[in-house]
Amino acid sequence: MSGPILTSLLERKMEYGPLMGAKNQTGTSHWRLGRDQQNIAWLLLDRQDAKVNSLSEAALQELAEILSHLEADLPAGLVLRSAKASGFCVGADIEEFRGLTEKAQVRERLEQAHATANRLADLNCPTIAVIHGSCLGGGLELALCCDYRLALPDAKLGLPEILLGLHPGLGGTARLTHLIDPLEAMTLMLTGKTLDARRAKKAGLIDAVIEERHLLRAIAAALAGKIKQQEYGLKERLLATTPARHLEARQMRSKTAEKIRLEHYPAPEALINLWEEYGGETEEMRQQEIKSFADLLVGETAQNLVRVFFLRENLKQATKSKAEKIGQVHVIGAGAMGGDIAGWCAMQGLRVSLYDPQGAALAKTVRKTADLCEKKHFSAAKTRAVLDRLIPDTSNQGVQCADLVIEAVPEKIELKQRIYREIEPLLKPDAILATNTSSIPLQELASALDQPSRFVGLHFFNPVAKMQLVEVVEHQGIETKVLQRARTFVGQINRLPVSVSSAPGFLVNRALMPYLLEAILLLDEAVPAASIDQLAEQFGMPMGPVELAEQVGLDICLDVAEMLRKRLDQPGPEVPGWFREKISKGELGRKTGQGFYRWKEGKPQKEGVEEAPDEALTDRLLLPLVNTC
């Protein structure tokens, strides 16, 4: 086995099978093949010049060459695994999806890829995939071609193609629905969710969860047929019958329609159609998968989502610096935003103290965090660890030992500046002070500080657990290393940093507020709230502007709107007086249970939704946002 590959394996303390010094038998760039003394072939995926494995067209072509070699000289068994410590394989090389417009070209390439996958599945010896880290998309589809799948405890498995406007395209739609409960298989593909090793074993996606030190024994057991495999039993066969598929497909469409508009997002419908029509026959389903995938890939939705994927990757790059990581966070204010920020940081592995003089507010944050852990399917032990890291603080003592202090109190400049004067003398010398302000210019807030160079904006969005973006706001006197460390922190908590200057409204609110104000003007003209939201959702928004404003809080929307009117050279329209009166009565939306909608269990009650008004109003609603951008 070649030196760099052996080094990579040893860094992770992984079993490698072939004897040290054995040569790669194929001369390929992305794979390494060797045989051990038991004539077991070890095939290691090691994408050239990349930190993670992905399945490029070149890698699949090389795999076809390797399979020819193995077919001509059959081993006692084949072990497929990754030579990279980062994981098994993250899926297809998305770069190769960009700009594709010809369906025939896509189908031809898919047919070649399918032929290679089928040869792996048909190899006339036992095949074993050993999975660690990320095993996603095409990587999991490749593993599904093997007879056995053994996973290390850190494995994460999933088919997230739906998030790119696609469905699996390397035979996965057929192989997965004929391996495990087809309804579970379809749910995995329709949601794009990942499973940890334990849940994947329970679902039947993998055959055993093992520790690295037991790998060789597990491989020997698999080769001897001593590892029990998933059975495709009577229940699964009944669920795959034609009448059952028709019934299940109707239910899937109904549930999917609750979350997305199929006219804007065709992949779920295409996947459901594929299963409904061809789910009873593996080979036919694989053939139809090629056609369906090609149709989706050249479509507008998939190409736009591929673009978004790379935009997200660019944002992630900003988090990858040599800046010192944050170890402990202190949040001031256990309101809706402060509590959620603290809870999310604790869930991402950071030690967090949360200050609020009101014990009830702290208790509410702990309950919400525990509920979120349950929704995220955290184990009891993992939930306890999260809550142990979340430290309620009624005396603000956490300021003194935090690497990062985040102020998240109401949008009152005097209140924020008073807090800064109180806590600045208590901060560690290298600590960062951040504000979650959504609208106040940082230079005004920083005027209360002796060391404004360590002050930065970290503007989270509501709800923190769902919204990926965090605005990292700089001002004229900030140190570069503080900015870098702030962006690194955003990456630590699995969020995407958007770097902005301290301009009015920063980026998101500056673009969003004209859109929300136009919705208020339509309300002023007696257009029903539900009809306005319906217009926006028909256009393609995930939710309408009225519901969005109530999620954020009508009071916060008013504060931002007034701030922008004061600070912009060309301010928007005046907010109607009745809107201010509504806020003065405490009808703020979700957080008070009443706004333009009545809220129940975190959802707006839109009883008796009227027909949407003339679609010409869509332009009126959306153009203020477009013009601002």
Side-chain angles (χ1 to χ4, degrees):
M1 178 164 294
S2 61
I5 302 304
L6 181 61
T7 301
S8 175
L9 291 170
L10 292 177
E11 281 175 355
R12 192 184 157 81
K13 297 182 180 177
M14 298 196 294
E15 299 286 358
Y16 56 90
L19 295 176
M20 190 181 298
K23 293 182 179 179
N24 176 27
Q25 297 178 3
T26 60
T28 53
S29 300
H30 305 299
W31 300 87
R32 300 293 181 266
L33 179 65
R35 300 202 188 201
D36 62 21
Q37 292 176 334
Q38 286 74 45
N39 194 31
I40 297 171
W42 289 69
L43 180 58
L44 306 178
L45 177 57
D46 187 36
R47 180 74 187 270
Q48 190 175 50
D49 301 324
K51 292 183 179 178
V52 298
N53 285 327
S54 61
L55 285 180
S56 63
E57 189 172 12
L60 285 169
Q61 288 172 350
E62 287 188 358
L63 179 57
E65 296 172 17
I66 292 167
L67 289 170
S68 295
H69 178 88
L70 293 172
E71 288 162 350
D73 183 11
L74 205 64
L78 172 67
V79 177
L80 174 66
R81 75 172 310 186
S82 164
K84 295 188 185 296
S86 57
F88 185 80
C89 178
V90 296
D93 184 348
I94 308 301
E95 185 69 46
E96 296 181 350
F97 289 175
R98 278 179 158 176
L100 294 174
T101 58
E102 298 296 328
K103 292 181 185 179
Q105 180 190 20
V106 175
R107 286 186 196 176
E108 182 180 353
R109 290 162 67 174
L110 280 172
E111 285 167 358
Q112 292 172 357
H114 269 240
T116 301
N118 293 342
R119 286 174 68 188
L120 175 60
D122 296 338
L123 196 65
N124 197 24
C125 69
T127 53
I128 304 166
V130 177
I131 299 166
H132 72 273
S134 296
C135 178
L136 305 173
L140 178 53
E141 291 181 273
L142 205 61
L144 289 173
C145 295
C146 295
D147 300 320
Y148 293 90
R149 282 159 299 284
L150 309 179
L152 274 61
D154 69 340
K156 300 287 184 185
L157 299 91
L159 293 163
E161 289 89 346
I162 206 81
L163 306 179
L164 289 175
L166 301 166
H167 54 60
L170 194 59
T173 60
R175 288 193 172 94
L176 187 64
T177 51
H178 289 82
L179 173 71
I180 66 173
D181 181 320
L183 297 186
E184 285 194 43
M186 288 294 290
T187 299
L188 272 176
M189 292 186 285
L190 285 167
T191 61
K193 290 182 179 178
T194 57
L195 301 177
D196 59 27
R198 177 179 58 84
R199 292 169 63 207
K201 171 67 171 69
K202 185 177 179 181
L205 197 53
I206 58 177
D207 299 301
V209 181
I210 55 169
E211 297 289 346
E212 183 76 45
R213 63 184 181 274
H214 300 312
L215 175 58
L216 294 180
R217 285 197 295 273
I219 289 171
L223 292 175
K226 294 180 179 178
I227 290 183
K228 185 178 179 181
Q229 293 184 282
Q230 170 74 13
E231 290 186 6
Y232 198 76
L234 177 61
K235 173 193 169 187
E236 286 76 18
R237 289 195 295 273
L238 288 174
L239 290 172
T241 60
T242 301
R245 293 201 313 274
H246 288 323
L247 176 61
E248 293 150 9
R250 286 198 297 271
Q251 294 172 336
M252 290 174 194
R253 289 190 183 95
S254 176
K255 288 183 179 179
T256 302
E258 293 174 6
K259 296 183 179 295
I260 62 168
R261 299 189 73 91
L262 296 175
E263 63 267 33
H264 297 304
Y265 202 63
E269 178 73 8
L271 176 58
I272 293 168
N273 288 342
L274 190 63
W275 160 246
E276 182 178 20
E277 294 298 320
Y278 307 105
E281 176 52 53
T282 307
E283 180 58 32
E284 180 67 14
M285 191 172 180
R286 287 204 298 262
Q287 290 300 317
Q288 293 297 326
E289 176 192 278
I290 293 173
K291 179 180 182 298
S292 178
F293 187 94
D295 290 347
L296 290 170
L297 183 55
V298 301
E300 186 179 66
T301 299
Q303 287 300 315
N304 282 334
L305 288 171
V306 166
R307 175 177 174 270
V308 169
F309 171 85
F310 284 104
L311 291 173
R312 290 168 58 89
E313 291 301 300
N314 289 340
L315 292 178
K316 287 179 183 178
Q317 291 302 314
T319 70
K320 296 174 182 177
S321 71
K322 295 181 180 179
E324 183 182 358
K325 291 188 175 182
I326 298 298
Q328 182 156 338
V329 178
H330 180 71
V331 181
I332 298 175
M337 288 302 297
D340 286 358
I341 292 168
W344 182 255
C345 290
M347 290 179 68
Q348 303 310 303
L350 294 176
R351 183 178 172 87
V352 188
S353 51
L354 174 62
Y355 166 68
D356 199 290
Q358 302 297 323
L362 295 171
K364 183 178 179 180
T365 295
V366 172
R367 285 196 302 273
K368 283 183 68 177
T369 304
D371 290 343
L372 184 57
C373 288
E374 184 177 353
K375 288 179 182 176
K376 297 285 185 181
H377 303 289
F378 282 21
S379 66
K382 192 173 181 181
T383 299
R384 282 195 301 273
V386 169
L387 299 180
D388 285 345
R389 289 192 293 267
L390 180 58
I391 306 165
D393 180 358
T394 56
S395 56
N396 219 9
Q397 292 297 307
V399 167
Q400 301 176 55
C401 50
D403 301 311
L404 170 65
V405 175
I406 303 175
E407 165 269 305
V409 301
E411 292 285 89
K412 307 296 181 186
I413 190 169
E414 299 83 4
L415 171 61
K416 292 176 183 287
Q417 288 184 328
R418 189 184 79 236
I419 290 171
Y420 301 162
R421 293 188 188 99
E422 291 174 357
I423 68 170
E424 188 178 19
L426 304 175
L427 295 173
K428 295 196 307 183
D430 60 345
I432 296 173
L433 174 60
T435 176
N436 184 52
T437 184
S438 60
S439 59
I440 302 173
L442 264 66
Q443 53 269 26
E444 293 186 20
L445 292 173
S447 65
L449 292 167
D450 293 329
Q451 289 183 268
S453 60
R454 66 159 103 182
F455 184 57
V456 68
L458 287 175
H459 180 213
F460 291 77
F461 295 94
N462 189 12
V464 174
K466 290 185 178 180
M467 303 301 284
Q468 289 281 308
L469 296 183
V470 176
E471 290 178 322
V472 180
V473 191
E474 63 178 284
H475 56 96
Q476 206 165 28
I478 193 171
E479 285 188 34
T480 301
K481 67 178 183 181
V482 171
L483 265 178
Q484 290 175 338
R485 201 176 180 198
R487 294 180 190 127
T488 298
F489 162 72
V490 174
Q492 279 183 259
I493 59 170
N494 196 27
R495 287 292 173 261
L496 300 172
V498 181
S499 298
V500 296
S501 61
S502 187
F506 310 142
L507 172 64
V508 174
N509 281 333
R510 178 70 185 89
L512 187 65
M513 197 48 58
Y515 166 65
L516 298 184
L517 278 173
E518 195 62 41
I520 292 172
L521 294 180
L522 288 173
L523 288 168
D524 192 48
E525 297 170 19
V527 180
S531 296
I532 296 169
D533 283 347
Q534 190 175 341
L535 276 176
E537 289 164 11
Q538 285 174 350
F539 174 79
M541 293 291 188
M543 69 173 64
V546 181
E547 182 179 346
L548 176 60
E550 297 205 357
Q551 287 273 9
V552 172
L554 298 181
D555 54 335
I556 293 174
C557 291
L558 178 61
D559 287 344
V560 175
E562 291 185 330
M563 182 278 298
L564 290 175
R565 277 191 61 79
K566 290 177 184 175
R567 300 180 187 278
L568 292 178
D569 294 334
Q570 295 180 324
E574 180 72 39
V575 176
W578 60 263
F579 186 80
R580 299 174 189 276
E581 291 174 12
K582 189 174 188 68
I583 290 170
S584 68
K585 290 191 292 185
E587 297 178 4
L588 310 181
R590 179 180 178 178
K591 58 188 173 184
T592 59
Q594 181 67 54
F596 295 101
Y597 300 120
R598 183 173 59 85
W599 288 75
K600 186 177 180 181
E601 296 180 357
K603 294 183 179 180
Q605 305 303 296
K606 299 184 180 181
E607 298 96 343
V609 177
E610 299 184 24
E611 288 295 316
D614 187 344
E615 288 191 12
L617 288 179
T618 303
D619 283 350
R620 179 178 161 186
L621 184 63
L622 272 297
L623 282 175
L625 185 153
V626 175
N627 291 339
T628 301
C629 289

